[in-house]
Amino acid sequence: MFKFFSRLKIARSAPGKSAAGLAVLAFVGATMLASPTVAQSNEGEPIVWDARRLSTLERNVRRIERALFQRNSSGQPFIMEPDPEVVALQGQMVSVDTRLGDVERTLQRMNGDIERLTFALDETERENTLLRQQLTDAEARIEELESAARLEAELSAPIEPNSPSGTAGGDLRAADRLMTQDSRRGARAYEVLLVTWPDAPEARLAAVRLADLYLADDAAAAVPLYAQALSGWPAEPWAAKATVDLAQALVATDRKTQACAALTDFNRRYAETAPAALKTRATSVRTEAGCR
């Protein structure tokens, strides 16, 4: 209480000050002059304003009013000056509000920048995804071209004797497996077998299979292969069909006389044990060749 009244300074001023100011001062003084019981109750239980306390408060207020009235009448009214600490604190609060406003505007700008950066990042990510896909496609295409180039180099190289398995039978089985995977490499394997094992029985079968591969698109290349396989007219199960195929290739290359001779050998050597379907086909080729 002493500290509070020490901040109330007496100043001379013209009499007749506003009663409202005195009322405010009276209320403050009444509050500060309240009984010790009221002050203590602020720290504990809430104040119970009974009749006795209200009467005490009223008497205190009237005392302060009389004291203030007497002071005002003497030309020396009480004037409450602002607390310097409160004024400084108010200034600091204004500064804090200003800084908070600046921070808020800065955050708004940052949010806008973040939104723009996020959009740009999304666009960049989409572009990167597209570029990665294009790069993957390009790498796959390059690998495909390199594989095709290696194959062309392999197939265009001179055919030289080579036996991967060391036997004609093993090389033939390897060529058959390769044919199911890659017909061009399979054909190359048959050609290598022909120059590696020219006198082996497997060479005849390799020549037939290679000729069958050429028959539809290159009958001229098939003819010597069939002739090589049928040299000496072998009694193998595949010989009957190879003879009819040879006749068909001769007709396709406009060598009908030779085709008729091949069909005559078919009738003499293989027709008796040939399947009915193969006999029917031989008759059709004979008609096409104009054989008598």
Side-chain angles (χ1 to χ4, degrees):
M1 182 182 300
F2 177 77
K3 183 178 180 181
F4 173 79
F5 281 105
S6 66
R7 291 177 180 175
L8 297 178
K9 298 183 178 179
I10 301 175
R12 297 182 179 275
S13 63
K17 287 291 183 177
S18 172
L22 293 176
V24 172
L25 187 58
F27 176 76
V28 175
T31 302
M32 298 303 298
L33 293 174
S35 65
T37 304
V38 174
Q40 292 176 359
S41 65
N42 288 334
E43 300 177 356
E45 297 295 330
I47 299 174
V48 178
W49 293 100
D50 52 14
R52 183 178 63 79
R53 286 181 175 173
L54 290 175
S55 177
T56 302
L57 177 62
E58 182 178 3
R59 287 196 302 271
N60 292 334
V61 170
R62 287 177 179 175
R63 290 194 192 101
I64 295 174
E65 286 178 345
R66 286 194 297 271
L68 293 177
F69 180 76
Q70 293 174 0
R71 177 68 66 176
N72 185 54
S73 298
S74 65
Q76 296 180 346
F78 280 100
I79 298 176
M80 182 180 293
E81 294 183 353
D83 189 341
E85 295 181 1
V86 174
V87 174
L89 182 59
Q90 290 176 343
Q92 292 177 1
M93 291 300 297
V94 172
S95 176
V96 169
D97 288 340
T98 302
R99 293 178 62 185
L100 286 177
D102 294 340
V103 170
E104 183 178 359
R105 287 189 293 272
T106 301
L107 289 176
Q108 290 176 351
R109 289 195 299 270
M110 291 177 64
N111 288 336
D113 293 340
I114 291 173
E115 290 179 359
R116 288 190 293 273
L117 289 174
T118 301
F119 178 78
L121 182 61
D122 292 340
E123 288 293 322
T124 302
E125 183 63 26
R126 284 191 289 271
E127 292 176 358
N128 289 340
T129 301
L130 179 60
L131 290 175
R132 282 194 294 269
Q133 184 60 46
Q134 292 176 347
L135 180 59
T136 301
D137 294 343
E139 289 176 347
R141 180 57 179 165
I142 291 173
E143 184 177 354
E144 181 181 350
L145 293 174
E146 290 177 346
S147 178
R150 288 193 298 268
L151 177 60
E152 288 299 328
E154 177 184 341
L155 298 179
S156 61
I159 300 175
E160 298 178 353
N162 181 36
S163 176
S165 68
T167 64
D171 290 351
L172 180 61
R173 288 189 295 272
D176 290 340
R177 288 193 300 270
L178 191 57
M179 178 61 70
T180 62
Q181 301 169 3
D182 189 332
S183 60
R184 297 184 66 187
R185 283 196 170 96
R188 179 73 173 191
Y190 288 139
E191 292 173 346
V192 172
L193 190 150
L194 288 174
V195 300
T196 305
W197 308 97
D199 300 326
E202 290 80 5
R204 290 177 180 267
L205 193 52
V208 170
R209 291 175 181 172
L210 193 57
D212 290 343
L213 186 64
Y214 292 154
L215 180 60
D217 300 323
D218 191 358
V223 169
L225 291 170
Y226 283 128
Q228 179 180 351
L230 293 170
S231 177
W233 300 110
E236 302 293 337
W238 49 263
K241 177 180 177 300
T243 302
V244 177
D245 289 338
L246 172 60
Q248 183 178 347
L250 290 169
V251 172
T253 55
D254 200 22
R255 287 179 278 186
K256 296 180 179 180
T257 301
Q258 295 178 7
C260 291
L263 291 172
T264 299
D265 285 321
F266 170 78
N267 289 334
R268 185 170 63 250
R269 301 175 186 278
Y270 306 115
E272 183 176 354
T273 58
L278 186 59
K279 293 178 182 180
T280 300
R281 183 174 165 227
T283 301
S284 176
V285 175
R286 180 181 293 276
T287 300
E288 186 179 358
C291 301
R292 295 179 181 179

